[in-house]
């Protein structure tokens, strides 16, 4: 979903993934923002429809440790300057 919409996976930061969209390749900021939003929507739909993720979440050992556990996704968006790389 991310790479299909001009984004680039950056890294796994524990319980989240950092993905970035840059206004390059001749794309305007609005086009890049729309692409990021399309990616998020697609990810939510694919996670909700995933039979494999649902099967894992319903496992008795998972439910014993985390009663009522469901697979959920959260997203944050930022536009503006940022520093990439090791600091």
């Amino acid at each position: 979903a991310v790479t299909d919409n001009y984004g680039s996976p950056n890294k796994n930061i524990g319980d989240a993934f950092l993905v970035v969209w840059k206004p390059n390749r001749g794309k305007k900021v609005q086009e890049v923002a729309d692409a990021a939003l399309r990616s998020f929507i697609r990810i939510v739909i694919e996670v909700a429809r995933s039979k494999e993720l649902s099967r894992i979440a319903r496992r008795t050992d998972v439910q014993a440790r985390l009663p009522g556990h469901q697979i959920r996704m959260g997203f944050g968006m930022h536009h503006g300057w940022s520093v990439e790389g090791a600091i």
Side-chain angles (χ1 to χ4, degrees):
V2 172
T3 56
D4 291 346
N5 286 288
Y6 319 121
S8 301
N10 189 292
K11 64 181 171 181
N12 180 319
I13 50 177
D15 64 346
F17 294 94
L18 176 63
V19 292
V20 296
W21 284 262
K22 297 178 184 178
N24 57 12
R25 300 184 204 140
K27 303 290 179 202
K28 296 179 182 175
V29 171
Q30 184 65 50
E31 291 175 282
V32 175
D34 289 345
L37 186 56
R38 274 194 309 273
S39 295
F40 293 164
I41 292 168
R42 184 170 151 197
I43 290 166
V44 168
I45 290 168
E46 289 181 10
V47 166
R49 289 181 178 170
S50 172
K51 290 182 172 134
E52 180 68 12
L53 289 176
S54 179
R55 183 188 66 76
I56 292 168
R58 288 191 321 262
R59 285 177 31 177
T60 54
D61 58 332
V62 171
Q63 288 300 315
R65 290 185 68 190
L66 303 164
H69 174 71
Q70 297 177 349
I71 305 291
R72 294 179 295 181
M73 300 290 295
F75 301 93
M77 296 182 80
H78 165 76
H79 176 289
W81 288 95
S82 68
V83 177
E84 292 185 69
I87 298 177

